[in-house]
Amino acid sequence: MLMALTRLLALTAVAALAAPAAHAADPVRRHAQSLVNAMKYGPDFKHFEWVNPDAPKGGVIRQYVAGSFDSLNNFTREGKPAVGLGHIYDQLFESSPDEPSTQYGVIAEWVSYPDDFSSVTFGLRQTARFHDGEPIKPEDVIFSMEAQKASNPQAAFYYLNVVSGEKTGEREVTFKFNSVGNRELPFIVGQLTVLPKHYWTGKNAEGTPRDLKKSTVEIPLGSGPYKIASVDPTRGITYERVPEYWAKDLPANVGQNNFGELRYTYFRDRTPAFEAFKSGQLDIWQEASASGWATQYEFDAAKKGLVKKESLPIKRVAPMQVFAFNTRRPKFQDVRVRKAFNLVYNFEEANKKLFFESYIRTESYFDNSELKAAGLPQGRELELLNEIKADLPPELFTVEWKNAVNTPENRRKNMGEAAGLFAAAGWTPKNGALVNAAGEELTVEFLIDSELWQRVILPYIEDLKLLGVKATIRQVDSSQYKRREEDRDFDVIVDQLSQSESPGNEQRDFWGSKSADERASRNSIGIKNPAIDKLIEKVVFATDRAELIAATRALDRVLLWNYFVVPQWHLPAERVAYWDKFGRPAKLPSQTAAFDRVWWIDPVKQTALETARSK
C-alpha cells in the first residue's frame, strides 16, 4: 500500500512480464510498471489522456487545512508535517491516478529486474536536477533509501527486503533484495522519493548538521514542480511553481502542475474555515460532512452560480474508516468485548439522521474491489485458511461475516447479544456500570481532533451507556492527537486504513506483529496474531494476481472475524465545491479528481467571476 495518502501502492502480476524473459546480459528496460493491468501508454506516449497539454499556467489556488503543523520534514515521525510537501519532491517513477497500481518514469528513465525479482536497476535521466541545479545522481538515490528507512518505521517495514544499494553505472543504481519472488519490490522501490544527499548531510544556517530523523522548520531542498515560498506554522504554507522545473516536459508531467501558487490556510475549526470559503477567501472546499453537503450550500454566491458544487465519482478501493480499538489495553484484548461494541453501533440510525442516507456501510478492509472477502471461503482462499485453521474461529468457515444491522426490528436483539458478550467476557452490571472481577468499571474514551466527530460519537456513547459502558469523548488539537496516537495513548480513535488495488509489503506495517510495538507504525490497533502474520507473507510473496486475490481475501476475512475495529462508511465519490474560475480536462482520472494536479485557472472565468462579485 501507499507511502502517502495520495500515492497508490500495489502488488500482483506485473503486466510488463508479457515481454520476453530477461537475460543478465540483456535486461528488459521498461518505461513503466503495472501490478494490475497492462499499461495504457507505450514508451513513445506524449501525455496522458486525462490532461490538457495546453493548460494555461499561473494563478493562485487557496485551500483549507484542519489543525496545525510544526515541521517541514515529512520523512520522520517527529512533529506534524505541513500539508503538500510532496509537491516539492520527485520520485523515481510517478503513479498514474487513472490506472490502479501503475507508474511511469520521472527521475528514472527506465527500470529492469531479473525474473526472480531479486534486485532492481534504474537508469536515471541525465537532465534530472534538484532546485539548486545539482544533478540527481545514484548516490542521492542510495542515500534516500537508507536515510528514509532509518528515519521512519513505515519506510523500514515497507522496504524491509531491500538490503543494499549500489552505483552500477554513471547514471545507474541497483538495489538488491534479501528474498526472491517478492514481485512488488521493483514497483515500490520505484515509488522512492529522491532526496539531495549533499543537502541532508550538510549543515543549516546555524552550523548544525541536518538530520532526516528530526523535525525541522528549515525550508528543504527539493527537485519537484513546486518549492516552498513562505511558511507560517500558525497560519499556513505557500508553494510556488518552478518555471524551470527540469521535468515539466516529460510525458508523465505534461499538462499538470498548472497553478502558479498553492496556498494552504490552517484553521482550528471547520466553522470559520467554511465562512472563509463562503466569503471568497478560499477557492475550493472538499466536503467531509454529509450534513454540510446537504444543508449548507444555500448561501448567496452558490444561489447565483458563482460557487459550483459537484460530487465527482471515483473508482478505487474504499478506505476502511473505523473506530479502532487499542488492543494493547487489557479491556480490548477479548474479542467478545470488541464484537459487542460492533453490535451496539447504530450505523443505520446515523446514516438516516446525520448523513442524509448518503453513505454505504463498509464491509471489508478492501471494499469496492475484487480483493474483498465475500460469502464463505472457497477455492484457493479456503486452502490458505485451512493451513492456519487451528488459529482461527470455527465460525469463519461456516458463517458469512456481516456488520450488525440495527434496524428497529433488530435493535433489541443486537443490544441483548452485546450484553451477553460483555457478561461472557467478565463484565457484569453493578449500580448501572459494567465491572469486572477486580471491581474495575468498563470505561472508554474516544479520542478525536475535530468537532465534526462529536455528533457522530455522542449517540454511540448513549447506546453504550444503556449497557453500562462509561464512555466519554476527548477532543484535542491535531498535534496532540498525532502525538497520542503515535504513543498509543488512547482507547479508541477514528482511523482510516487506506489500501490499493495491489496490497503487499505495507501490510506488515498495518497488521504485522513486529510493527505492533513500533512507535508511530500504522499498526495503531496493536495486532499481534500469528495467523495474520502468515497471511501477510502469503500476500507479499503471491506468485500471480490470482494468488494475490486469494491471499488478500483470506487476510481480510481473518481481520474481520477478529473485530479489531467497528467499520464506519464510505462514499465512492469526492464532494467538491469551488468558486467558478477553474478549467479542467474533459476526462478526469478515474482514481481521484486530481485537483492540484490537472485543473487550472481559466482566465475568462476568473474575469467573469471578479466582475460578478464586484457588482
Side-chain angles (χ1 to χ4, degrees):
M1 183 165 134
L2 355 102
M3 284 298 300
L5 237 114
T6 58
R7 308 283 188 185
L8 299 170
L9 299 183
L11 180 146
T12 149
V14 176
L17 291 180
H23 299 287
D26 184 26
V28 175
R29 294 182 172 183
R30 299 167 170 88
H31 74 291
Q33 299 188 78
S34 179
L35 298 173
V36 178
N37 302 310
M39 285 81 71
K40 284 187 178 181
Y41 306 94
D44 298 324
F45 83 107
K46 304 302 181 185
H47 59 79
F48 296 122
E49 65 183 11
W50 39 268
V51 304
N52 173 7
D54 301 314
K57 309 294 184 184
V60 177
I61 171 65
R62 300 165 300 173
Q63 302 181 66
Y64 149 66
V65 187
S68 61
F69 71 96
D70 57 13
S71 177
L72 299 180
N73 178 8
N74 58 335
F75 300 99
T76 178
R77 300 303 294 178
E78 274 195 8
K80 180 72 179 294
V83 69
L85 289 169
H87 292 301
I88 73 172
Y89 297 110
D90 281 317
Q91 298 181 164
L92 292 169
F93 275 64
E94 181 64 49
S95 295
S96 166
D98 190 50
E99 301 170 75
S101 302
T102 300
Q103 57 187 14
Y104 294 82
V106 178
I107 290 176
E109 189 171 11
W110 54 264
V111 59
S112 68
Y113 43 85
D115 292 341
D116 64 357
F117 302 95
S118 59
S119 66
V120 64
T121 299
F122 296 94
L124 309 186
R125 296 184 192 273
Q126 187 172 10
T127 54
R129 293 288 187 276
F130 293 108
H131 291 154
D132 63 356
E134 284 293 309
I136 299 177
K137 304 182 293 293
E139 290 84 353
D140 297 300
V141 180
I142 296 167
F143 166 81
S144 299
M145 174 64 75
E146 294 173 347
Q148 289 177 47
K149 287 181 68 175
S151 65
N152 191 319
Q154 291 185 9
F157 280 106
Y158 200 48
Y159 294 121
L160 181 67
N161 294 119
V162 181
V163 292
S164 66
E166 179 184 358
K167 181 178 180 179
T168 49
E170 181 183 358
R171 294 191 303 276
E172 186 176 291
V173 59
T174 297
F175 289 100
K176 294 183 179 180
F177 311 144
N178 64 359
S179 64
V180 296
N182 190 332
R183 301 167 69 88
E184 185 190 36
L185 281 176
F187 187 94
I188 67 173
V189 176
Q191 295 171 330
L192 182 70
T193 298
V194 179
L195 305 174
K197 180 179 180 181
H198 65 283
Y199 173 86
W200 283 104
T201 56
K203 297 180 179 180
N204 61 24
E206 287 73 40
T208 304
R210 297 187 180 96
D211 187 349
L212 198 66
K213 299 185 185 73
K214 302 295 183 182
S215 173
T216 179
V217 292
E218 180 185 18
I219 293 178
L221 176 66
S223 63
Y226 290 89
K227 60 183 178 181
I228 298 174
S230 62
V231 179
D232 180 354
T234 64
R235 186 62 174 157
I237 186 168
T238 297
Y239 299 87
E240 61 183 4
R241 187 172 176 273
V242 179
E244 66 279 9
Y245 172 45
W246 71 271
K248 63 183 175 63
D249 296 323
L250 291 181
N253 281 327
V254 168
Q256 302 174 61
N257 308 306
N258 302 314
F259 298 117
E261 283 190 8
L262 308 173
R263 293 182 188 172
Y264 298 96
T265 302
Y266 280 77
F267 291 83
R268 296 284 183 179
D269 298 308
R270 178 188 185 277
T271 299
F274 192 63
E275 290 301 316
F277 170 68
K278 288 164 60 177
S279 66
Q281 298 173 57
L282 300 173
D283 299 308
I284 182 171
W285 187 266
Q286 299 183 59
E287 186 60 76
S289 167
S291 173
W293 189 249
T295 65
Q296 296 181 7
Y297 289 84
E298 293 300 314
F299 54 92
D300 189 57
K303 290 179 179 179
K304 291 180 178 178
L306 304 182
V307 169
K308 301 293 185 182
K309 177 187 173 190
E310 290 189 84
S311 183
L312 301 170
I314 53 174
K315 297 178 181 178
R316 61 173 182 255
V317 180
M320 181 61 131
Q321 184 172 287
V322 298
F323 294 114
F325 300 106
N326 183 359
T327 63
R328 300 169 187 84
R329 301 198 164 173
K331 58 190 168 187
F332 297 126
Q333 289 172 2
D334 192 313
V335 67
R336 293 169 294 190
V337 170
R338 303 194 299 265
K339 183 178 180 180
F341 273 82
N342 186 294
L343 287 162
V344 173
Y345 180 60
N346 196 338
F347 166 76
E348 287 69 30
E349 187 76 359
N351 201 29
K352 179 180 179 181
K353 290 187 175 180
L354 301 178
F355 308 145
F356 296 82
E357 296 188 333
S358 60
Y359 289 126
I360 300 168
R361 187 79 190 270
T362 304
E363 297 278 354
S364 164
Y365 288 81
F366 303 89
D367 217 334
N368 198 38
S369 79
E370 63 181 348
L371 302 167
K372 173 183 177 179
L376 296 178
Q378 56 185 323
R380 180 58 180 152
E381 180 195 352
L382 179 58
E383 293 175 1
L384 293 172
L385 291 169
N386 277 328
E387 293 177 12
I388 52 174
K389 191 171 185 176
D391 296 322
L392 302 178
E395 57 267 36
L396 178 149
F397 295 90
T398 59
V399 179
E400 182 178 7
W401 187 92
K402 289 287 186 182
N403 279 309
V405 177
N406 275 298
T407 58
E409 308 83 58
N410 291 345
R411 186 65 177 151
R412 182 182 296 272
K413 178 179 73 68
N414 288 337
M415 292 292 281
E417 185 179 349
L421 287 167
F422 281 132
W427 298 96
T428 56
K430 184 178 181 180
N431 299 325
L434 290 181
V435 297
N436 62 14
E440 300 167 328
E441 294 183 343
L442 180 54
T443 63
V444 58
E445 180 185 87
F446 290 84
L447 182 68
I448 60 173
D449 64 352
S450 169
E451 80 279 4
L452 286 176
W453 285 107
Q454 294 269 357
R455 65 192 188 95
V456 174
I457 298 173
L458 283 173
Y460 191 17
I461 284 178
E462 292 306 309
D463 287 339
L464 288 167
K465 285 181 178 178
L466 292 175
L467 296 182
V469 179
K470 292 194 172 182
T472 57
I473 297 175
R474 174 66 62 88
Q475 183 176 337
V476 297
D477 62 43
S478 58
S479 295
Q480 186 178 355
Y481 180 91
K482 180 176 183 289
R483 183 167 59 253
R484 286 188 60 175
E485 179 186 359
E486 293 180 347
D487 290 340
R488 314 312 188 192
D489 181 18
F490 65 89
D491 283 341
V492 177
I493 58 172
V494 176
D495 207 349
Q496 190 172 84
L497 309 168
S498 298
Q499 299 284 355
S500 76
E501 295 280 354
S502 188
N505 291 265
E506 77 288 343
Q507 302 303 305
R508 293 166 172 158
D509 193 31
F510 273 118
W511 333 112
S513 295
K514 291 182 180 179
S515 67
D517 295 328
E518 286 284 344
R519 182 185 183 276
S521 74
R522 280 180 287 190
N523 192 347
S524 57
I525 300 165
I527 297 172
K528 289 184 177 181
N529 185 301
I532 289 173
D533 289 336
K534 291 174 183 176
L535 289 174
I536 289 170
E537 295 310 298
K538 296 290 186 181
V539 170
V540 170
F541 290 98
T543 54
D544 54 31
R545 180 69 182 174
E547 182 74 5
L548 176 71
I549 292 171
T552 304
R553 288 176 178 173
L555 175 62
D556 185 33
R557 196 178 300 274
V558 174
L559 288 168
L560 291 169
W561 274 101
N562 274 280
Y563 289 93
F564 292 121
V565 302
V566 177
Q568 295 180 355
W569 54 81
H570 66 274
L571 179 73
E574 292 181 4
R575 295 179 296 215
V576 180
Y578 54 89
W579 288 85
D580 190 19
K581 64 177 185 178
F582 299 104
R584 72 183 191 215
K587 177 186 184 298
L588 288 173
S590 62
Q591 305 279 298
T592 174
F595 192 86
D596 285 349
R597 190 161 171 177
V598 301
W599 294 43
W600 63 86
I601 300 291
D602 184 316
V604 175
K605 286 185 176 182
Q606 185 172 36
T607 299
L609 178 63
E610 291 171 352
T611 301
R613 292 189 63 191
S614 66
K615 292 181 179 179

